[in-house]
Amino acid sequence: MTVRAARWSATHPWRAIGLWLLLVVVAVGLSVAVPKQQTKAKDTWTGQSGVAAQLIEQAGLGDRPSETVLLTATNGPLNKATATTAINQLRQKLTAIDAVGNVGQPVWAENGKAALLPIDLKGTADDAADNVDKLIAATAEVQQAHPELSINETGEASLNKGIWKRVGADLASAEKLSLPITFVLMLLAFGALIAAGIPVLLAFSAVGAAVGFYAPLSYLFPDGGSVANVVLLIGMAVGVDYSLFYLKREREERRRGRSTLDAVEIAAATSGHSVVVSGLAVIVSMAGLYVAQDATFSSMATATIVVVAVAVLGSLTVLPALLAKLGHRVDRPRVPLLWRLNRRIGPAGISRRILAPVLRFPRVALLVAVIGIGALGVPAMDMKTAPAGLDTLPQSIPEVRTMTALQEDFPSRGTSYTVVVKASSGAAAGLAKLESAAVKSGELVAVPGQKIRQAGDTAVLNLVSPHSESSAEAKNALTSLRTKLAPAALSSLPGATWAVGGEAASQSDYGQHQRDKLPYVIAFVLGLTLVMMAFTFRSLAIAVVTTLLNLASVAACFGVLSLVFQHTWAEGLLDFTSPGFVVSWIPLFLFVILVGLSMDYHVFVLGRIREGVVEGLSPRDAVRKGITESAGVVTSAAAVMVSVFAVFATLGMIEMKQMGVGLAVAVLIDATLVRIVMLPSIMVLLGRKAWWPNKLSAAQPAEPTRELVTV
């Protein structure tokens, strides 16, 4: 299949190039014409908080979307007269906005340092997201008129807007950094401008096409907010790698005297086949995210599968067409210094020196590598995971700073819990009893002026912990509310169904849901990957070795994550404040991505070793030949991945930092310690048993020609 596709593209280059450009244009057109769908609140309901949200929705007791304006003095205590004037101006401007349902009375902080103005909005949370800009603009006008005050708005809609504005800025920064860095690495790998530019352009076009094709798919798998980040992250990595594998092999065959067409077809039969297997491995791994039964993960999986499929298609079609059309000109124009340096080092110049003692003393090398991986993986045993919250968001986001200050000055506006009960009678009385017991416990406080909301047989009560949602006190309050206070007050009600929800409870349930699903995801990904490798290489031993090596890389990655983000020593280096934990969705996501990406060049390396065994070389010589001939490609591919992932480690969002650090470290370890030390030492120790139960022919085959490859 890969040879036929390459031959058609190479013999009809303009048609192949034209069809690829048409594909990209159509995809970009789709992204413009089809509005991308976003996840709704109910898509993320899970656990007891999901039950609470459903009961509230059925009873029509949901809180209206709201915003809050916080007023503080720029210096010293708040002047009440000045603040009152500003509040009156705010009320006048805000009530004139159609989206505003009601502007409440101002609330003054007991410490005298702040005042707040509550605002109820019309419609749903989605309507609030569309109209919050008008409120922000009105607040900004009053702020300009009162420079002696600090007047800022916060709330769910404005906070989300500020977060996604920061995410967009981070994404733009990542694009600006990743493209030139990747191009420079390709220049180092090839020493020629055209050869360096082709993988970058194909990868970038694959990313653009994938974003467009995802737009209609978002109606089935709505975007949870991270699709653009994941498509850029994975698309640039695999897109460049697949082109790199193909291009390196084609240049290698031309240096051996092959014609351009023969070189393209041999590259298609070897590297092209590895690209297909690698792409399928990434797709299979990403499909494991569907097992998590999570809307955000499903959108990530769908987008990644699309970008990988497009990258594979490009490397098998338009890339052979470009290589056939350019011929030897692909190595032009040369960068003199880099070209000479590239030639002088030669293929696997550094890797050959590392590999020599590994092949000479495989047992010692394997033992040292296992000890090293084990040392890195030990901290993973103490990994703490928790949901992201206000404390993990960058304080550079104005709405985050405002919300933090609001909770400090108004403890009753802290971490909120919503208790809903449905009973044939006495629902409101039961909640009143619960409120009294909760306040007496000292863990929770009542919301000032709050009334229990009731509709039919359902009633709702809000309680607050004066601590941040990621604090131990807030977590203990939730546990106490669910296991002690609520059961004691509500279980005796006739036919009672009750649940504790709210944002903090929802985050806790979401993290627990992911922890519960993680074993199933691991089993799915490792099981399918093992079957796939056994089928590809007809070897159970290779499949088992691959699985063990993948687990080694993942263990090292998780260990480094724990060392970096659960402690403070790297805060200055990476510009973050340690939350003391890893965000709960990161381990599951990283596991799936790492297994897929590690297969990217693992298949390529094993394919070259297998070629040596088939040629009749001894296991040791086959390993030496396979590793040295693939080392240049693997090193370049790993360098691209590490650089792209490292860019994400520089971004402001803690999730992006953790994802970038985890992936960069894992790929670096995987491409060096695992693939240059552990894999060759294991293959040498196993010998021909590595290919069991397949018995590879040791006969020397004829040199591959275009006709032989066609067969």
Side-chain angles (χ1 to χ4, degrees):
M1 180 191 69
T2 59
V3 174
R4 287 196 297 270
R7 183 186 301 114
W8 184 90
S9 299
T11 53
H12 305 85
W14 288 119
R15 293 185 191 178
I17 294 171
L19 288 173
W20 177 258
L21 292 176
L22 179 63
L23 177 79
V24 175
V25 169
V26 169
V28 173
L30 281 175
S31 67
V32 175
V34 180
K36 187 172 64 174
Q37 299 300 300
Q38 304 288 333
T39 54
K40 307 298 183 184
K42 63 176 59 179
D43 294 330
T44 60
W45 289 352
T46 185
Q48 191 178 139
S49 60
V51 174
Q54 187 175 18
L55 290 173
I56 291 172
E57 183 183 62
Q58 290 172 350
L61 290 172
D63 287 326
R64 286 185 177 181
S66 63
E67 290 286 306
T68 302
V69 178
L70 179 68
L71 296 88
T72 57
T74 53
N75 291 302
L78 181 66
N79 185 293
K80 194 166 185 177
T82 304
T84 300
T85 302
I87 288 171
N88 291 334
Q89 293 175 356
L90 281 168
R91 294 178 64 88
Q92 182 179 2
K93 289 183 178 294
L94 293 171
T95 51
I97 299 174
D98 292 336
V100 174
N102 178 59
V103 179
Q105 294 300 316
V107 180
W108 304 90
E110 293 182 1
N111 60 15
K113 295 181 179 179
L116 65 82
L117 187 65
I119 308 163
D120 291 330
L121 304 180
K122 297 177 182 178
T124 64
D126 294 330
D127 298 326
D130 295 334
N131 296 313
V132 72
D133 284 337
K134 300 174 184 177
L135 280 72
I136 294 174
T139 304
E141 290 178 9
V142 178
Q143 171 67 85
Q144 289 181 350
H146 295 276
E148 71 279 8
L149 297 176
S150 178
I151 306 175
N152 298 285
E153 182 179 341
T154 190
E156 185 176 352
S158 57
L159 189 61
N160 285 338
K161 188 173 187 64
I163 291 171
W164 290 117
K165 182 179 179 181
R166 177 57 183 267
V167 169
D170 281 353
L171 187 60
S173 174
E175 290 175 349
K176 291 177 182 178
L177 288 172
S178 62
L179 284 176
I181 290 174
T182 303
F183 182 70
V184 169
L185 290 173
M186 289 298 95
L187 271 181
L188 292 172
F190 292 108
L193 290 174
I194 293 178
I198 287 176
V200 178
L201 289 175
L202 286 182
F204 194 66
S205 64
V207 169
V211 171
F213 287 132
Y214 172 74
L217 291 173
S218 67
Y219 284 81
L220 296 175
F221 304 100
D223 181 9
S226 302
V227 161
N229 301 67
V230 172
V231 167
L232 177 65
L233 186 77
I234 306 302
M236 288 301 298
V238 301
V240 169
D241 285 359
Y242 295 161
S243 300
L244 182 64
F245 292 163
Y246 207 109
L247 185 53
K248 281 275 192 179
R249 186 60 184 258
E250 188 269 347
R251 293 171 87 234
E252 180 183 325
E253 295 300 329
R254 277 196 291 106
R255 284 198 298 268
R256 292 176 177 173
R258 311 280 187 187
S259 67
T260 298
L261 191 56
D262 283 341
V264 167
E265 291 193 5
I266 294 172
T270 53
S271 295
H273 178 264
S274 295
V275 165
V276 172
V277 175
S278 298
L280 288 175
V282 177
I283 289 173
V284 165
S285 296
M286 293 306 302
L289 289 179
Y290 292 123
V291 178
Q293 297 178 351
D294 176 83
T296 301
F297 280 160
S298 293
S299 67
M300 290 181 181
T302 303
T304 304
I305 288 171
V306 171
V307 75
V308 171
V310 173
V312 170
L313 180 64
S315 66
L316 298 182
T317 55
V318 69
L319 181 57
L322 289 171
L323 295 178
K325 196 66 183 174
L326 291 169
H328 291 275
R329 287 172 293 178
V330 75
D331 292 329
R332 302 289 190 276
R334 297 171 179 172
V335 181
L337 179 61
L338 293 179
W339 180 266
R340 288 196 298 270
L341 182 63
N342 213 290
R343 291 287 183 174
R344 180 172 299 177
I345 294 176
I350 299 174
S351 299
R352 189 184 294 111
R353 294 178 177 84
I354 300 175
L355 186 63
V358 171
L359 297 181
R360 190 178 307 159
F361 308 105
R363 287 184 176 82
V364 176
L366 180 60
L367 179 61
V368 171
V370 168
I371 292 173
I373 292 289
L376 288 174
V378 165
M381 299 175 66
D382 189 41
M383 177 185 285
K384 298 179 178 65
T385 61
L390 192 66
D391 293 345
T392 65
L393 292 171
Q395 290 298 310
S396 58
I397 300 176
E399 292 80 4
V400 173
R401 291 200 304 271
T402 303
M403 183 63 77
T404 302
L406 177 68
Q407 293 184 355
E408 290 176 355
D409 291 323
F410 297 89
S412 62
R413 301 273 172 166
T415 303
S416 177
Y417 306 103
T418 302
V419 186
V420 55
V421 59
K422 182 178 182 180
S424 56
S425 64
L431 287 180
K433 179 181 177 183
L434 171 63
E435 182 178 27
S436 176
V439 173
K440 287 181 180 178
S441 71
E443 295 180 296
L444 297 155
V445 297
V447 179
Q450 173 190 242
K451 294 181 179 180
I452 295 173
R453 307 190 304 276
Q454 186 169 13
D457 58 358
T458 305
V460 177
L461 168 71
N462 288 336
L463 293 168
V464 174
S465 166
H467 305 282
S468 65
E469 61 185 43
S470 61
S471 65
E473 292 85 355
K475 295 175 182 176
N476 292 336
L478 175 61
T479 301
S480 178
L481 191 56
R482 282 180 166 176
T483 60
K484 297 178 183 178
L485 298 173
L490 305 174
S491 296
S492 60
L493 296 177
T497 299
W498 61 269
V500 178
E503 184 63 27
S506 176
Q507 292 281 6
S508 176
D509 291 344
Y510 183 68
Q512 186 60 49
H513 173 78
Q514 291 170 338
R515 287 188 289 271
D516 292 342
K517 293 294 182 181
L518 182 58
Y520 298 101
V521 174
I522 292 174
F524 177 89
V525 172
L526 292 183
L528 280 188
T529 303
L530 189 145
V531 171
M532 185 177 175
M533 291 300 294
F535 177 79
T536 301
F537 291 97
R538 305 293 193 274
S539 168
L540 291 177
I542 289 293
V544 172
V545 168
T546 299
T547 302
L548 293 176
L549 292 180
N550 286 338
L551 288 175
S553 298
V554 171
C557 167
F558 287 1
V560 172
L561 276 180
S562 301
L563 284 173
V564 172
F565 292 102
Q566 290 181 193
H567 305 280
T568 59
W569 64 270
E571 288 182 334
L573 182 65
L574 295 175
D575 189 24
F576 75 101
T577 300
S578 173
F581 57 83
V582 176
V583 178
S584 56
W585 65 269
I586 291 290
L588 190 151
F589 180 74
L590 286 185
F591 171 79
V592 172
I593 292 290
L594 287 176
V595 172
L597 292 183
S598 66
M599 300 290 288
D600 193 20
Y601 40 80
H602 181 71
V603 171
F604 185 77
V605 173
L606 284 176
R608 296 305 290 260
I609 295 174
R610 188 178 186 278
E611 287 180 32
V613 175
V614 172
E615 289 173 5
L617 298 178
S618 67
R620 190 183 301 270
D621 290 338
V623 170
R624 180 183 291 108
K625 181 177 185 293
I627 297 292
T628 54
E629 289 184 350
S630 62
V633 180
V634 170
T635 301
S636 300
V640 169
M641 286 191 185
V642 170
S643 66
V644 171
F645 298 152
V647 167
F648 278 74
T650 66
L651 303 184
M653 302 295 289
I654 192 70
E655 293 97 327
M656 295 299 105
K657 282 185 182 294
Q658 292 183 354
M659 187 166 61
V661 168
L663 289 173
V665 169
V667 170
L668 182 62
I669 293 172
D670 198 67
T672 53
L673 194 59
V674 173
R675 305 302 161 190
I676 299 181
V677 180
M678 295 184 73
L679 176 62
S681 60
I682 291 173
M683 295 296 289
V684 169
L685 291 172
L686 289 177
R688 285 194 169 272
K689 294 178 182 178
W691 308 99
W692 182 87
N694 184 23
K695 295 181 180 179
L696 297 178
S697 173
Q700 178 72 28
E703 281 293 311
T705 63
R706 181 151 51 98
E707 290 75 15
L708 179 60
V709 172
T710 301
V711 174

